[in-house]
Amino acid sequence: MRITESKKITDFFGCNVFNDGVMQKYMPRETYNELKEVTDLGKPLNKELANKVAKAMKEWAGDMGATHYTHWFQPLTGTTAEKHDSFISIDKSGNTVLEFTGSNLRKGEADASSFPSGGIRATFEARGYTVWDCSSPAFIKKSRNGAGILCIPTAFCSYTGEALDKKTPLLRSMEAINREGVRLLKILGVDAERVTANVGGEQEYFLIDKRDYNRRDDLKFTGRTLFGAMPPKGQEKNDQYYATIKDRVSDFMAELNEELWKLGITAKTQHNEVAPAQHELAPIFCTANIATDQNQLIMETLKKVADNHGLTCLLHEKPFAGVNGSGKHNNWSIATDTGVNLLTPGETPHENAQFLLFLVAVIQAVDDYQDLLRLSVATAGNDHRLGANEAPPAVVSMFLGDELTAVLDAIEKDEPYSGVEKTVMKLGVHTLPRFIRDTTDRNRTSPFAFTGNKFEFRMLGSSDSIACANIMINAAVAESLRQYADKLEGAENFEGTLHDLIRSTVKEHKRILFNGNGYDDEWLKEAESRGLLNLRTTPDALPAMLEKKNVDMLMRHRVYSRAEIQARYEIILENYCKTVNIEALTMVDMARKEILPAVAAYEKDLADTLEAKLKMLPELTGRYERRTIAKLSGLVDEIDAAAEELDSATIRLKTINDVAEASYYIRDVILHKMAELRVVCDEAEMLTAEKYWPFPTYEKLLFGVR
Ligand code: ADP
Ligand code: MG
């Protein structure tokens, strides 16, 4: 079905989702109400209810043409996993029947032996469990021929109950912020049953021609180009940003939106991004859990739909050197079940005190746990972006805008706020100036920016799950809220305590606030003098995961167990090492099997030409051929030597058993040797006639989609 031919968006939006409307249609009212209490209020799910829900789901899935179901989960590989079971079963009399029970829905057993577990799951205990997450709706994935798979979002854990996925700790962190948020609100006299973290994730990506992609081993094996000289034109004219979208890309986007809408994903904004061939998509925000599931589906759908259009979608953080890489902006806020966004400045002095309290809670969280936020976005791919004058730097800081900063300043100093009207900001007495509500001031260089009623965390890489960042934000903010609740609970002079709390928090944590240009080198110096961390690479950032203050906080809020923290630390570093090792091996391979033979062939052709020319006209100098052959011969030797060095380094890497040691070796040796090999290869590319070059160049990749 094409939109243009028929229906309105609203007619098919969410048609592949087991959503509210579907539930009401397929379930008796009492069952529906019971389930709502489970999904919305977190009440436990009993067996009987699970059976009733499963029955409705089976019926709906059957009507939708689904033949299989799967427990859809997010292992620590960073992608999603699914194993399909058909609804077919044989009953006692030997008849083929369709079956899907409450226990099929609730729990699945998965052979976990090949998923990363960081040593949690010993290989002799291969069993892992998937458990239904009823707070994220089930959906049906359709293949092109219409076959459907019912996907049930699930958490994935080991036989002994440790989380082996990204969803479980995310749900636990949401529970932590709910627990502490509700507690604090009660103390403030606000009646709320639940506090929920909401997230809107903006997704950047590149689109290139599939034929070009298929001709490059680096893209196929590593998702990024490991070689490639810059063409004469890159992004310097900023003529791609928000530019008219080419027809072929428009067609792709139309199908993409349609597929996402069917999955109930509110694809909202789309535009061309800064780099040639780069684009962005953003849905409307929803709960952090659903937003994370949806972001995984968005990435999957981007790739699938691109393929239908003869395109390949690159989600890597830095597919091309010399132009911008891709990230994700994680827009985050917290709201109550009564619909109040706790990060919206209010109308009354009382609401403002509440707003300021939650605001400083985030400020404190970001300052106290800058290391956790930084490492939550640490990957080999993202290391190429952070701090490279295109993404926020590796230093975590916060942007509040001038007005809000001035308000906090006035509170800290008990001085008159010198905004539009001069008032001493006494909490519980004065309202905030209205203009703070629409902070239009945008600072694109800040890693963590307040944008009116939400915070935008901009350090995430484009291919990463957004779960990791949100786990850390939620946990860190829950910790501030816990501390505040402890202090305010039973305080004799409530107003005074509240005022002092906000004041002292501002005083203690204002070093994290920075409204200036985050790309500026001066800032890095200043950040250092403020005592902020500058964790440049993944190996630099990861050790903080094991620091006592971080382990204590994460365990206190039951987000991770000690074993889970250790496991994740190892998996992230291991993944870093594997990623770069594959890149290094791919480079050696491409240099030896493709680049050197190509350049040699060109040299030979030049030499043959020269010989023929001199035979015919002996008085010629042959300057062009001689010089080019000489330069290329020099480069060929350098390429050969650099490939040899890199090759030896990868052999040495194999002998390092400690994962942290290995990651340092990669950071200090392998990455440099890769850069050295690339430089000489790119130089050779500039001197070699195009038809000899063994794979598509940047020019084709970046400007080839027509
Ligand atoms: P941009 O930052 O590109 O200007 P927008 O301000 O429109 O974009 O919003 C970007 C994302 O932030 C969208 O996904 C949007 O739904 C989301 N968003 C808006 N309000 C909130 C909120 N209160 N909490 C979380 N996300 C939000
Ligand atoms: Mg944004």
Side-chain angles (χ1 to χ4, degrees):
M1 174 202 55
R2 303 242 56 87
I3 310 166
T4 39
E5 284 164 16
S6 57
K7 298 189 200 170
K8 286 190 293 196
I9 301 175
T10 42
D11 291 340
F12 66 90
F13 183 84
C15 66
N16 290 346
V17 182
F18 193 66
N19 57 22
D20 244 34
V22 175
M23 285 193 247
Q24 290 183 41
K25 192 169 151 206
Y26 283 84
M27 283 177 196
R29 176 160 287 280
E30 314 83 75
T31 311
Y32 170 79
N33 289 341
E34 242 183 287
L35 183 63
K36 284 308 268 181
E37 292 204 334
V38 175
T39 55
D40 296 357
L41 299 175
K43 295 211 170 146
L45 174 89
N46 63 45
K47 207 170 149 190
E48 226 173 300
L49 178 61
N51 274 328
K52 288 183 206 158
V53 177
K55 183 167 173 282
M57 245 187 220
K58 185 182 85 178
E59 225 175 285
W60 171 70
D63 290 350
M64 292 289 293
T67 52
H68 293 68
Y69 69 90
T70 181
H71 276 197
W72 183 75
F73 59 101
Q74 296 163 31
L76 295 167
T77 51
T79 52
T80 57
E82 50 193 79
K83 178 187 135 225
H84 305 168
D85 275 295
S86 78
F87 290 109
I88 284 185
S89 185
I90 311 283
D91 72 6
K92 282 187 198 119
S93 350
N95 298 321
T96 309
V97 291
L98 298 184
E99 192 182 71
F100 182 62
T101 64
S103 70
N104 292 149
L105 166 64
R106 277 210 305 182
K107 201 167 171 190
E109 204 174 311
D111 179 354
S113 55
S114 293
F115 290 112
S117 74
I120 280 185
R121 181 204 33 70
T123 18
F124 58 83
E125 183 46 91
R127 265 182 305 173
Y129 285 108
T130 49
V131 184
W132 183 31
D133 163 25
C134 56
S135 62
S136 181
F139 56 92
I140 288 176
K141 267 200 224 174
K142 288 244 176 193
S143 67
R144 254 188 277 181
N145 68 7
I149 309 291
L150 170 66
C151 297
I152 301 154
T154 52
F156 178 45
C157 57
S158 76
Y159 183 62
T160 44
E162 273 102 0
L164 294 176
D165 68 348
K166 304 205 173 197
K167 185 188 271 285
T168 307
L170 177 66
L171 290 173
R172 292 177 187 158
S173 74
M174 290 177 74
E175 200 36 53
I177 211 160
N178 170 48
R179 192 169 52 235
E180 303 301 339
V182 168
R183 188 175 151 226
L184 185 60
L185 285 172
K186 287 245 149 65
I187 297 169
L188 294 173
V190 179
D191 216 17
E193 296 266 329
R194 273 193 92 73
V195 167
T196 309
N198 287 319
V199 168
E202 304 163 48
Q203 175 74 47
E204 291 179 340
Y205 60 92
F206 279 84
L207 282 181
I208 61 168
D209 197 290
K210 187 157 76 176
R211 286 164 299 191
D212 293 334
Y213 171 86
N214 282 330
R215 289 178 54 207
R216 291 200 58 136
D217 281 354
D218 49 3
L219 287 176
K220 280 191 283 184
F221 294 144
T222 74
R224 74 176 179 109
T225 55
L226 299 166
F227 300 102
M230 270 308 281
K233 181 178 184 295
Q235 65 185 39
E236 49 285 276
K237 287 175 79 184
N238 286 326
D239 49 357
Q240 160 80 354
Y241 193 56
Y242 282 17
T244 311
I245 298 169
K246 287 177 193 149
D247 277 351
R248 192 161 161 210
V249 176
S250 268
D251 288 347
F252 155 84
M253 286 179 173
E255 189 182 330
L256 172 70
N257 287 329
E258 200 178 316
E259 289 304 317
L260 294 176
W261 290 330
K262 284 192 213 159
L263 286 168
I265 298 170
T266 50
K268 170 91 177 154
T269 346
Q270 61 193 29
H271 61 83
N272 285 350
E273 257 298 333
V274 174
Q278 193 184 27
H279 314 279
E280 181 182 305
L281 168 126
I284 297 171
F285 72 96
C286 52
T287 72
N289 179 33
I290 295 177
T292 302
D293 285 357
Q294 291 193 342
N295 185 254
Q296 292 293 340
L297 284 173
I298 287 172
M299 291 195 282
E300 188 180 318
T301 312
L302 276 165
K303 291 202 167 263
K304 204 170 83 181
V305 174
D307 203 58
N308 295 346
H309 292 256
L311 298 165
T312 298
C313 172
L314 302 178
L315 290 171
H316 193 281
E317 284 74 17
K318 193 71 181 175
F320 305 100
V323 296
N324 270 20
S326 300
K328 273 195 249 246
H329 287 178
N330 189 82
N331 295 270
W332 180 95
S333 67
I334 32 178
T336 64
D337 55 327
T338 50
V340 178
N341 177 349
L342 295 165
L343 295 176
T344 306
E347 300 284 342
T348 65
H350 181 81
E351 286 168 1
N352 289 152
Q354 179 186 308
F355 162 70
L356 286 170
L357 189 61
F358 281 92
L359 182 77
V360 297
V362 183
I363 295 174
Q364 178 180 335
V366 174
D367 187 25
D368 280 345
Y369 298 101
Q370 11 171 326
D371 45 3
L372 287 182
L373 292 180
R374 169 64 185 93
L375 71 84
S376 75
V377 299
T379 59
N382 216 14
D383 280 1
H384 297 290
R385 275 176 74 242
L386 297 177
N389 274 2
E390 57 175 81
V395 178
V396 177
S397 70
M398 281 173 103
F399 168 90
L400 289 187
D402 293 339
E403 282 124 17
L404 204 46
T405 307
V407 169
L408 294 186
D409 225 36
I411 292 172
E412 184 204 340
K413 296 184 179 125
D414 261 338
E415 274 173 4
Y417 168 64
S418 48
V420 177
E421 289 166 56
K422 286 201 176 214
T423 40
V424 179
M425 291 302 296
K426 272 276 174 227
L427 293 168
V429 181
H430 294 289
T431 47
L432 291 174
R434 285 199 75 88
F435 50 76
I436 284 169
R437 211 151 310 153
D438 47 36
T439 314
T440 44
D441 197 356
R442 291 292 174 93
N443 179 338
R444 289 284 163 189
T445 67
S446 176
F448 210 104
F450 183 68
T451 48
N453 62 358
K454 61 180 170 24
F455 278 97
E456 193 167 331
F457 186 31
R458 302 197 176 112
M459 290 171 87
L460 289 76
S462 49
S463 68
D464 222 5
S465 160
I466 61 172
C468 309
N470 287 298
I471 291 167
M472 295 308 182
I473 300 175
N474 291 343
V477 174
E479 173 59 16
S480 312
L481 300 180
R482 180 191 73 85
Q483 291 180 16
Y484 299 171
D486 281 354
K487 280 187 190 146
L488 290 170
E489 219 159 33
E492 276 176 25
N493 171 2
F494 186 78
E495 295 255 297
T497 312
L498 180 62
H499 184 87
D500 290 348
L501 181 60
I502 293 177
R503 230 185 114 196
S504 63
T505 307
V506 174
K507 196 174 258 170
E508 236 171 275
H509 297 286
K510 67 178 177 196
R511 64 170 187 167
I512 198 78
L513 303 178
F514 177 64
N515 290 337
N517 181 3
Y519 295 177
D520 202 346
D521 281 342
E522 283 303 306
W523 163 235
L524 294 186
K525 277 187 225 146
E526 191 187 328
E528 198 176 314
S529 72
R530 291 187 187 191
L532 300 180
L533 296 167
N534 186 5
L535 303 169
R536 261 176 264 254
T537 66
T538 303
D540 295 324
L542 256 290
M545 187 127 182
L546 305 180
E547 270 173 32
K548 186 174 179 326
K549 80 160 170 77
N550 294 334
V551 174
D552 285 352
M553 184 277 282
L554 291 167
M555 285 179 65
R556 178 179 303 124
H557 292 283
R558 299 196 284 278
V559 172
Y560 286 121
S561 69
R562 193 179 294 279
E564 287 168 350
I565 293 174
Q566 181 71 38
R568 264 148 234 257
Y569 161 82
E570 275 167 34
I571 289 167
I572 294 167
L573 279 181
E574 226 172 71
N575 192 30
Y576 172 84
C577 295
K578 284 181 187 161
T579 303
V580 183
N581 188 45
I582 292 169
E583 290 179 348
L585 295 177
T586 306
M587 281 190 94
V588 172
D589 211 55
M590 286 173 79
R592 285 183 176 160
K593 294 193 187 143
E594 296 191 78
I595 296 175
L596 287 173
V599 180
Y602 180 48
E603 283 182 300
K604 179 175 184 304
D605 261 16
L606 281 173
D608 290 351
T609 310
L610 180 62
E611 202 185 351
K613 271 168 60 170
L614 291 180
K615 209 185 238 171
M616 192 195 286
L617 300 164
E619 69 279 17
L620 293 179
T621 62
R623 178 189 141 99
Y624 158 63
E625 289 85 356
R626 281 178 206 279
R627 273 166 45 95
T628 311
I629 293 169
K631 278 195 241 168
L632 283 175
S633 298
L635 282 170
V636 159
D637 288 347
E638 287 185 63
I639 293 171
D640 180 52
E644 182 96 41
E645 287 228 0
L646 182 56
D647 197 14
S648 311
T650 60
I651 292 167
R652 162 95 182 81
L653 178 66
K654 274 194 228 155
T655 64
I656 307 175
N657 289 325
D658 181 73
V659 70
E661 284 298 314
S663 75
Y664 299 144
Y665 184 72
I666 283 172
R667 179 195 62 191
D668 301 334
V669 179
I670 302 245
L671 285 170
H672 294 282
K673 298 216 179 289
M674 284 167 63
E676 279 163 17
L677 175 56
R678 177 173 185 151
V679 169
V680 277
C681 288
D682 289 359
E683 240 174 273
E685 183 197 319
M686 309 267 271
L687 289 172
T688 304
E690 198 169 324
K691 68 171 185 184
Y692 289 83
W693 203 249
F695 39 76
T697 59
Y698 268 31
E699 181 189 325
K700 287 206 83 178
L701 296 171
L702 288 170
F703 298 96
V705 175
R706 311 231 159 261

